[in-house]
Amino acid sequence: MGDEVDDSTNSSSRLLLVLFLLMGASSLVASHDGLLYDSTAYTKCLGKPARPLYNGGILKDIKITSASNDSSPSLSLCNLTQVTKYSFSSWVKIDGADSALIRVSLRTENELYSCIGNVMARSGCWSFLKGGFTLSSPSNATLSFQGPGSTDVTIAIESASLQPFTDEQWRKSQYHIINKVRKRPVTIHVTDENGERLQGVDIQVKQVSKEFPFGSAIAKTILGNIPYQKWFVERFNAAVFENELKWYATEPEQGKINYTIADQMLKFVRESGATVRGHNIFWEDPKYTPAWVGNLMGLDLEKAVKARITSLLDRYKKEFVHWDVSNELLHFNFYEQRLGPNATLDFFKTVHESDPLATLFLNEFNVVETCSDVSSSVDGYILKLRELRRGGVSMDGIGLESHFDAPNIPLMRAVIDKLATLGLPIWLTEVDISNKFDKKTQAVYLEEVLREGFSHPSVNGIMMWTALHPYGCYQMCLTDADFRNLPTGDVVDKLLREWRTEDIQGQTDEYGSYSFFGFLGEYSVTLEHGNGTATSTFALSQGEETKHVTIHL
């Protein structure tokens, strides 16, 4: 930003920041062809704000004027278009409180977007806010910073940036990341028994499995249902039980533990070769806590939760790659209310001691879906994760439930950017789209969410919440009851094909080599040369360099 914001104004002062964006949409698009998204994010409060992303984007060189009588900054935006994704960021500092959740809203001529980004700002230092929006129609707009309604907080901003992306530019950024982190170049060298390179060898390469976990929830309805099982196995390499491992399902009455259904489902998953997540050990929402647990206090509750962990882990140690140790802790705190503020920390430590190779997750909703939910701000999630780490938790991960209404894709990406600064595994754990939309609209939104998740370098896996029941699914199904694809199923099948290396046929060159660019995973290779044949396999894992594979024929 060209001019500095005066941060010495007290809480009774009022600040008005007015930015007039005079450039038209067509000139903006033309001037940013080939632009790649900047995933830079900060989660620590700094003494000075960093430089604005994209050098300010379309806010570059626009002078900020200030006036008195407003403690909440506003930006007036002109000529915004509906075919554009806008990435917004700013550094924020407050006065009048030690800390406060600052939300940015956007009002157009016809609509109000109640939150396009938020940050837990502090006094005395600068906090980084990152978000974004996509408009449903072209419009001028006013972007406003707002603090808690019950406190008199003055907000200062610096290094603001607003960067427009066309859909084509956004997609190019996605492909750029996919090619960088989901794929890798391979060179296969073919030699004879003396180590001499062989030219003109017929080569066939087939990807037999994918490294990236992409799956769905399943329910007990899959047991004995051969068409359902076949449909699942043909598509997915990861699974999670919808309800069958939850405490209310395995121990509805104290001491009467029954893992029969879970065991049968685990047997199916083992046979399919899929990765399986453990969901969940404790659910903080008292509505989903077993009724008998809700009646326990003190030592009786402590004994019950320890028995729950011991029972699960004695039976399923090393079976589940993840455990959702605490579900929806940002919204509910059943156990911490009764067992003290260290209850969750103790859960994680005990589970880690019992199953040290499993990754242990907090799992939460309304973190990437929206920023309007003050209970689950991205900074609030980061704060909780850091508290657990300071307490000694290790092997931890970030679960983002991802139950979307109409997705705000630039906000989704910005939130994951901030979470990624922690360096922890991030999974989209329960992806679906609200059933308030028709099936075609669900499919459009689902594709946007899945593409965004797969193309973010810090997302390690995606699970959809699409377990099929006689009544349908929780919010969104992929097929009808006869396993005929719905529009959402067509989207999934299209992406599964797109994110897989097609079968390759070719010949080695004059150097006895054949090169290709493939998605990460396991591959089989078949060679034919004269009367000689050979088969081999290799694994393609993430790396910056070309993978070299030598096969003797």
Side-chain angles (χ1 to χ4, degrees):
M1 248 167 131
D3 297 349
E4 292 186 356
V5 176
D6 181 5
D7 63 358
S8 63
T9 309
N10 61 34
S11 60
S12 63
S13 300
R14 306 188 66 178
L15 178 66
L16 178 63
L17 302 179
V18 182
L19 302 181
F20 293 98
L21 309 184
L22 302 177
M23 292 181 280
S26 60
S27 63
L28 293 179
V29 172
S31 64
H32 294 291
D33 285 342
L35 179 74
L36 292 178
Y37 177 84
D38 188 340
S39 62
T40 300
Y42 306 84
T43 53
K44 293 184 178 180
C45 206
L46 303 182
K48 293 183 178 180
R51 294 179 60 84
L53 302 186
Y54 312 102
N55 200 24
I58 59 176
L59 303 185
K60 179 184 177 183
D61 299 330
I62 302 298
K63 185 177 181 179
I64 298 175
T65 59
S66 62
S68 60
N69 303 326
D70 199 338
S71 59
S72 300
S74 299
L75 313 179
S76 294
L77 312 174
C78 302
N79 301 319
L80 303 183
T81 71
Q82 71 184 78
V83 295
T84 307
K85 291 178 171 63
Y86 290 92
S87 177
F88 177 75
S89 61
S90 176
W91 288 84
V92 179
K93 183 165 69 171
I94 62 168
D95 189 21
D98 291 335
S99 64
L101 184 65
I102 304 302
R103 172 174 55 89
V104 181
S105 63
L106 186 78
R107 181 178 291 279
T108 71
E109 294 156 348
N110 301 311
E111 295 181 272
L112 172 64
Y113 299 78
S114 62
C115 188
I116 58 107
N118 63 28
V119 66
M120 185 62 71
R122 292 166 52 190
S123 63
C125 59
W126 293 89
S127 302
F128 185 66
L129 183 152
K130 193 173 190 182
F133 58 91
T134 304
L135 298 185
S136 59
S137 60
S139 183
N140 298 332
T142 300
L143 187 150
S144 302
F145 290 75
Q146 299 163 342
S150 60
T151 58
D152 193 9
V153 173
T154 300
I155 304 167
I157 66 170
E158 264 286 7
S159 295
S161 172
L162 186 67
Q163 180 59 56
F165 292 85
T166 65
D167 284 344
E168 181 181 3
Q169 290 166 341
W170 197 267
R171 187 64 60 85
K172 283 182 178 179
S173 289
Q174 290 178 331
Y175 287 148
H176 173 77
I177 296 298
I178 288 171
N179 286 334
K180 183 177 181 180
V181 302
R182 310 294 184 209
K183 302 176 75 175
R184 188 176 175 185
V186 185
T187 296
I188 299 174
H189 306 284
V190 182
T191 67
D192 63 16
E193 58 186 8
N194 297 317
E196 297 294 326
R197 297 284 178 88
L198 293 175
Q199 179 180 353
V201 175
D202 292 326
I203 185 168
Q204 298 180 42
V205 181
K206 182 180 181 65
Q207 185 176 9
V208 296
S209 68
K210 301 177 183 180
E211 182 178 271
F212 187 85
F214 184 86
S216 172
I218 57 173
K220 61 184 179 182
T221 50
I222 204 167
L223 298 175
N225 191 331
I226 302 304
Y228 191 1
Q229 294 178 0
K230 182 175 184 294
W231 173 87
F232 182 91
V233 171
E234 287 175 349
R235 286 162 175 80
F236 302 124
N237 63 355
V240 62
F241 302 171
E242 185 181 42
N243 298 312
E244 287 78 5
L245 269 183
K246 292 170 181 172
W247 199 356
Y248 67 74
T250 61
E251 194 177 1
E253 297 180 47
Q254 187 170 12
K256 296 183 178 180
I257 301 172
N258 190 338
Y259 293 119
T260 302
I261 298 298
D263 287 348
Q264 292 172 354
M265 293 173 68
L266 183 59
K267 180 176 183 294
F268 160 72
V269 174
R270 281 200 207 105
E271 292 171 351
S272 76
T275 293
V276 60
R277 303 188 72 247
H279 176 79
N280 55 56
I281 299 180
F282 297 109
W283 196 343
E284 293 288 341
D285 188 345
K287 182 168 61 175
Y288 298 108
T289 301
W292 63 268
V293 174
N295 295 325
L296 301 179
M297 298 294 290
L299 289 176
D300 290 336
L301 182 57
E302 286 184 19
K303 291 178 181 178
V305 298
K306 288 179 181 178
R308 162 71 170 166
I309 295 173
T310 300
S311 174
L312 273 179
L313 275 298
D314 282 354
R315 191 175 194 90
Y316 295 121
K317 180 179 179 180
K318 297 186 178 181
E319 294 283 4
F320 295 92
V321 295
H322 300 164
W323 286 106
D324 288 332
V325 176
S326 181
N327 202 49
E328 301 175 358
L329 178 62
L330 297 184
H331 287 88
F332 310 100
N333 60 350
F334 175 86
Y335 296 98
E336 294 194 348
Q337 277 186 338
R338 289 157 177 78
L339 298 176
N342 291 325
T344 303
L345 176 62
D346 292 340
F347 294 165
F348 271 82
K349 287 182 175 180
T350 303
V351 175
H352 178 63
E353 290 171 0
S354 300
D355 196 356
L357 299 182
T359 307
L360 309 182
F361 279 70
L362 288 181
N363 194 44
E364 193 56 75
F365 68 93
N366 278 355
V367 181
V368 293
E369 299 96 318
T370 178
C371 60
S372 297
D373 188 341
V374 297
S375 296
S376 51
S377 69
V378 59
D379 290 302
Y381 203 8
I382 289 169
L383 178 63
K384 179 57 68 175
L385 289 160
R386 283 180 169 157
E387 285 178 359
L388 291 172
R389 298 218 100 191
R390 284 195 297 270
V393 165
S394 58
M395 288 294 288
D396 47 332
I398 302 171
L400 303 172
E401 291 187 14
S402 308
H403 295 294
F404 283 91
D405 284 340
N408 179 346
I409 295 301
L411 174 66
M412 176 184 175
R413 184 180 290 193
V415 167
I416 299 176
D417 287 345
K418 290 195 74 171
L419 291 169
T421 63
L422 298 179
L424 298 174
I426 299 174
W427 279 57
L428 309 185
T429 57
E430 304 179 18
V431 176
D432 63 14
I433 306 297
S434 171
N435 60 15
K436 73 181 183 182
F437 302 110
D438 62 59
K439 291 179 172 55
K440 288 185 178 179
T441 303
Q442 281 185 319
V444 171
Y445 289 158
L446 178 65
E447 182 169 354
E448 291 180 356
V449 169
L450 294 180
R451 286 190 182 278
E452 194 58 46
F454 187 72
S455 65
H456 199 290
S458 296
V459 172
N460 287 14
I462 298 176
M463 304 295 297
M464 290 178 294
W465 209 245
T466 49
L468 187 62
H469 300 269
Y471 62 80
C473 304
Y474 173 66
Q475 290 284 330
M476 181 192 79
C477 288
L478 300 179
T479 74
D480 63 17
D482 296 317
F483 302 99
R484 291 186 295 259
N485 267 5
L486 299 172
T488 49
D490 288 338
V491 163
V492 168
D493 285 351
K494 177 179 72 172
L495 294 178
L496 287 172
R497 290 190 298 269
E498 184 179 319
W499 297 337
R500 183 186 187 95
T501 306
E502 293 183 354
D503 292 353
I504 295 170
Q505 292 186 345
Q507 285 190 333
T508 55
D509 60 18
E510 59 190 295
Y511 304 103
S513 301
Y514 184 85
S515 300
F516 68 97
F517 202 54
F519 283 96
L520 306 182
E522 299 280 341
Y523 285 80
S524 66
V525 183
T526 301
L527 305 176
E528 294 183 2
H529 187 62
N531 294 325
T533 62
T535 59
S536 186
T537 60
F538 67 90
L540 187 59
S541 56
Q542 189 171 347
E544 297 292 330
E545 301 176 334
T546 300
K547 169 83 171 181
H548 288 268
V549 178
T550 298
I551 303 175
H552 301 293
L553 183 62

